[in-house]
Amino acid sequence: MTTPHFPRGREVLLGVSAGIAAYKACDVVRRLQDHGFLVTVVPTPASLNFVGKATWEALSGRPVHTEVWENIPDVPHIALGERADLVVIAPATADLLARVASGRADDLLTNCILATHAPILFVPAMHPQMWSNPATVANVATLRERGYVVMDPDTGRLTGRDSGQGRFPETSRIISAIEELSLHRADLIGKKVLVTAGGTREAIDPIRFIGNLSSGKQGYALAWAAAARGAEVTLISANSQLPDIEGISTIHVVSAAEMEAEVKTQFPKHDVLIMSAAVADARPENVIDEKIKKEQLQNIALIKNVDILAAMGKVKRSNQVLVGFAAETALNSVELGRAKRIAKGADLLYVNNVKSNEIFGSETTAGTIISSHGEELITGCSKDTLANILLDKVVDELGYANV
Ligand code: CTP
């Protein structure tokens, strides 16, 4: 795995639909780059009549695709949607607004829009009659109700003789709207987030240990996403093979006892603790200094480890947010998760079903987020996406805590 670049929060997916203002979107690409954004352009096939692929590739310095049928093994609509920190559709035609409002996915751009969790800004441009048409008015209202930002077009001269409201806004107005949206995403600025990741190892003798299959991917994704959203992040990592992330202070530990000591020191200095590490519930009672001979290796007496999450649940300040994970194999995993959240004093708990090793080491996750404010079913998404969904809930919890 390569070390991810840092800081994040600046990846823009620029969607271009088929309006003459597509040529003005070329300037938007340039200005975005001037402001430090990285831009991937996804034009609709029809928009290529106005500005061709070669122009977008030259301006963005990245390959440009229009159809879901290209690069099938990369699953481009999911990959592009997930990579984007922000999605901007400029220009957004009446047809594009209608297609998104009705949830259609008939080209790469509309697939990306459906697949992304990033905030989306629409920059409409069309003839005034189309903008004021009741169908367009209703579609814009639907999109705004769903939380998308839809800019109002400028008023003035359009192509042809008509004038009125429908002009593509000045680039500076678009850039301001994008900057505002990107700041909105930086909702953890000023917050300190402590994340544990990986799986602890409990020594049996100098060469053997009791361990587990946790890869650390979920914890690293959380640390990464929290940093991208502006938080100061400390990561306590147990035996993960993943590389340190630039900008994130990482403390390496091996055993549950080491993790417990670090969490105890660090938690009071943080606003949020996310216990995503798989901590061993018990350790060998006696650690032998020398390798145990096989004839003596028949029973290992175990002693319980401190439950770090539950211990932090007891000392947590009311303005701190505590997040736990639960790995369950039983069918009633959500019920068990509800009880576990309360028993351990966590504000949020993500319970996933780990039957047949589907979660450990895998790129995707499925489960349920449980809090006292409600539950959300996660039906299968990447660990990066889950990280951001969980952080949305953390931001909510920080809000409740400070009321
Ligand atoms: N955890 C912890 N310290 C431990 C064990 C677990 O902080 N010694 C935390 C994990 O980091 C996770 C949560 O507790 O956030 C849930 O762990 P889980 O896998 O459900 O194990 P247990 O709570 O020990 O429950 P069970 O009896 O089902 O194993």
Side-chain angles (χ1 to χ4, degrees):
M1 186 183 150
T2 53
T3 308
H5 54 275
F6 190 83
R8 283 206 50 194
R10 311 293 281 181
E11 271 287 344
V12 175
L13 188 157
L14 178 69
V16 180
S17 60
I20 175 66
Y23 83 90
K24 294 188 177 172
C26 298
D27 188 41
V28 174
V29 176
R30 275 280 179 260
R31 297 291 80 80
L32 278 172
Q33 290 165 333
D34 291 346
H35 283 73
F37 289 97
L38 301 160
V39 186
T40 302
V41 184
V42 181
T44 62
S47 77
L48 298 178
N49 289 305
F50 289 111
V51 178
K53 236 182 189 185
T55 303
W56 296 126
E57 290 194 336
L59 284 173
S60 69
R62 290 178 166 183
V64 167
H65 304 289
T66 57
E67 296 287 1
V68 258
W69 308 113
E70 299 166 64
N71 296 332
I72 296 288
D74 294 344
V75 200
H77 58 299
I78 300 296
L80 287 165
E82 277 176 358
R83 186 170 70 181
D85 296 309
L86 295 171
V87 175
V88 179
I89 317 296
T93 59
D95 175 66
L96 189 282
L97 296 174
R99 286 195 289 137
V100 178
S102 59
R104 299 237 322 253
D106 34 21
D107 54 25
L108 181 58
L109 177 57
T110 45
N111 271 276
C112 290
I113 292 172
L114 278 185
T116 191
H117 277 281
I120 304 184
L121 172 74
F122 291 90
V123 187
M126 62 196 77
H127 290 280
Q129 309 89 297
M130 296 173 84
W131 176 247
S132 59
N133 185 289
T136 309
V137 171
N139 289 332
V140 168
T142 301
L143 294 173
R144 285 178 174 157
E145 265 164 36
R146 286 185 197 150
Y148 298 122
V149 183
V150 184
M151 285 180 79
D152 282 325
D154 279 356
T155 302
R157 176 89 197 274
L158 286 109
T159 25
R161 296 212 187 130
D162 48 350
S163 77
Q165 192 178 20
R167 269 172 69 94
F168 191 70
E170 290 304 321
T171 306
S172 57
R173 201 154 82 78
I174 299 171
I175 300 293
S176 301
I178 294 170
E179 287 279 15
E180 205 175 300
L181 204 64
S182 97
L183 278 182
H184 179 69
R185 188 69 173 177
D187 47 10
L188 285 169
I189 283 179
K191 297 291 174 205
K192 292 189 174 181
V193 176
L194 178 64
V195 182
T196 65
T200 63
R201 288 179 184 175
E202 311 304 315
I204 299 168
D205 68 16
I207 59 161
R208 301 187 181 93
F209 59 83
I210 299 173
N212 62 66
L213 290 171
S214 176
S215 63
K217 279 181 187 162
Q218 187 60 72
Y220 276 64
L222 277 157
W224 176 250
R229 291 167 74 149
E232 202 178 302
V233 181
T234 308
L235 178 65
I236 301 178
S237 173
N239 312 299
S240 171
Q241 298 304 306
L242 298 170
D244 288 357
I245 303 170
E246 205 182 329
I248 291 178
S249 146
T250 305
I251 300 165
H252 293 276
V253 297
V254 176
S255 66
E258 285 172 24
M259 181 168 279
E260 181 200 342
E262 289 296 345
V263 171
K264 270 190 181 157
T265 312
Q266 294 295 332
F267 186 43
K269 299 184 231 166
H270 289 77
D271 302 289
V272 179
L273 166 61
I274 307 179
M275 280 296 306
S276 72
V279 186
D281 291 319
R283 63 182 183 278
E285 192 166 12
N286 304 305
V287 184
I288 317 292
D289 287 344
E290 285 178 20
K291 188 185 164 202
I292 305 173
K293 289 290 173 201
K294 55 176 165 295
E295 356 3 295
Q296 285 149 7
L297 201 60
Q298 277 150 4
N299 294 301
I300 301 170
L302 296 178
I303 179 168
K304 260 186 144 186
N305 279 329
V306 168
D307 188 317
I308 306 170
L309 179 62
M312 295 306 108
K314 289 203 178 83
V315 299
K316 170 182 119 60
R317 299 191 301 266
S318 61
N319 60 353
Q320 286 179 306
V321 172
L322 186 57
V323 184
F325 276 66
E328 303 288 357
T329 50
L331 282 177
N332 63 339
S333 59
V334 175
E335 229 168 89
L336 295 174
R338 282 181 201 132
K340 198 171 277 184
R341 183 189 75 79
I342 293 167
K344 296 199 185 197
D347 299 288
L348 290 168
L349 190 117
Y350 178 66
V351 52
N352 56 31
N353 204 312
V354 291
K355 221 163 197 168
S356 26
N357 298 338
E358 276 158 8
I359 305 292
F360 287 128
S362 127
E363 293 299 332
T364 57
T365 175
T368 306
I369 301 174
I370 300 169
S371 82
S372 63
H373 301 98
E375 293 178 6
E376 184 170 335
L377 183 70
I378 306 294
T379 51
C381 66
S382 75
K383 292 183 176 181
D384 287 330
T385 300
L386 175 71
N388 272 307
I389 299 173
L390 268 175
L391 290 174
D392 289 343
K393 309 271 181 218
V394 165
V395 170
D396 291 345
E397 292 291 333
L398 282 167
Y400 304 135
N402 290 325
V403 180

